[in-house]
Amino acid sequence: MDPMRRALTAYGQAAETLPPLQQIVMLYDGTIRRLKEARAADEAGRVGERWTAVGKAAAIIDGLHRSLDHERGGEIALNLDRIYTRLAFRLQQINLEGGSAICDEVAGRLGELRAAWAALLSQGPANPGATESAAPTPAGAVPPRLAVTG
């Protein structure tokens, strides 16, 4: 099975079986991982690899951004909208200017967001009798169904 098909299969299985909050944390993890790849490629002068890694990180951020539900999410969705817009802009600057420092900046911001989502995940279900898969997802932050790009 080719890598793309494996990635799509794995994502599909995760989307079906993992709690929404865990999916969001995993998407942040993937984005941070791609930024580390971009940083390493940038430092080694591998422009094509940097471009690819930044593109993958941008696709995840774009998916998270598009999944916001502004009607239900209120101020949380508005704040996330602003953050994702800023992060998308900074990601493009990595390819325009090069930039290990920008990779670190964006990864740091994503690390903060990831920690907040992980804290919500660790709180468990809102109802004591509920299952883990019923863990609440903050309004306006539904995990996206992304096309994984490897």
Side-chain angles (χ1 to χ4, degrees):
M1 185 182 296
D2 70 80
M4 175 64 88
R5 181 160 305 282
R6 277 197 312 268
L8 289 170
T9 300
Y11 181 80
Q13 290 171 345
E16 303 271 329
T17 60
L18 296 176
L21 290 175
Q22 188 172 354
Q23 292 177 42
I24 292 170
V25 170
M26 290 175 69
L27 288 168
Y28 281 124
D29 288 342
T31 309
I32 292 166
R33 187 171 40 257
R34 298 300 183 223
L35 285 166
K36 288 179 182 178
E37 291 171 5
R39 185 184 204 287
D42 186 63
E43 289 177 348
R46 297 186 311 266
V47 176
E49 288 179 30
R50 181 190 70 208
W51 185 271
T52 299
V54 168
K56 289 176 181 181
I60 297 170
I61 295 298
D62 183 55
L64 288 164
H65 197 176
R66 285 184 288 119
S67 73
L68 294 174
D69 181 341
H70 290 276
E71 286 183 29
R72 291 179 35 216
E75 189 174 338
I76 293 171
L78 181 61
N79 288 338
L80 285 171
D81 179 73
R82 290 176 182 152
I83 291 168
Y84 292 151
T85 298
R86 173 73 176 154
L87 292 176
F89 174 74
R90 294 299 283 160
L91 285 171
Q92 296 313 310
Q93 287 181 313
I94 293 169
N95 282 328
L96 292 173
E97 303 169 11
S100 297
I102 300 172
C103 290
D104 292 343
E105 170 198 328
V106 174
R109 184 66 169 148
L110 288 168
E112 294 170 7
L113 291 167
R114 184 216 181 274
W117 287 103
L120 287 172
L121 177 62
S122 71
Q123 292 175 7
N127 302 324
T131 63
E132 183 182 354
S133 63
T137 301
V142 178
R145 303 284 187 224
L146 297 177
V148 177
T149 57

